[in-house]
Amino acid sequence: MIGAGFAVLRHPSLWLTALVELRRFVPDRWWTRRPFLPVPDRDLVRFRLVTQYGDPDHRPDPDDLVAWLGWCREENRRRHH
């Protein structure tokens, strides 16, 4: 995950999109359950890894994350115009 974070940091145009998508992945009322941090739901992350790579334990590829965030940014723009 650290490599993915650094990949996003190298693309300032994706920072806002990354925050929006992180918010979408973080469960509501995250502060009421351990680890009391705004982290994505583990089951959702595993599901997304299976759909992307076919393996729930596959480490996300930083380039894939950047490409996905670019796609999300374009889709968000398209939906709002």
Side-chain angles (χ1 to χ4, degrees), residues 3-11 13-14 17 53 60-73:
F6 282 122
V8 173
L9 286 176
R10 289 192 299 270
H11 298 275
S13 65
L14 295 176
T17 302
Y53 302 107
D61 183 291
D63 293 333
D64 290 343
L65 176 62
V66 168
W68 176 72
L69 287 171
W71 177 84
C72 290
R73 182 184 61 203

Side-chain angles (χ1 to χ4, degrees), residues 8-59:
V8 173
L9 286 176
R10 289 192 299 270
H11 298 275
S13 65
L14 295 176
W15 292 356
L16 181 58
T17 302
L19 290 174
V20 168
E21 296 306 319
L22 177 63
R23 174 59 191 107
R24 289 178 177 165
F25 271 70
V26 172
D28 292 335
R29 299 181 44 84
W30 56 265
W31 60 88
T32 64
R33 59 195 117 177
R34 293 186 186 275
F36 308 112
L37 296 170
V39 295
D41 179 74
R42 180 172 291 193
D43 291 336
L44 177 58
V45 171
R46 289 177 63 77
F47 169 76
R48 293 302 300 254
L49 290 171
V50 168
T51 59
Q52 174 71 22
Y53 302 107
D55 179 1
D57 297 318
H58 191 284
R59 290 187 178 208

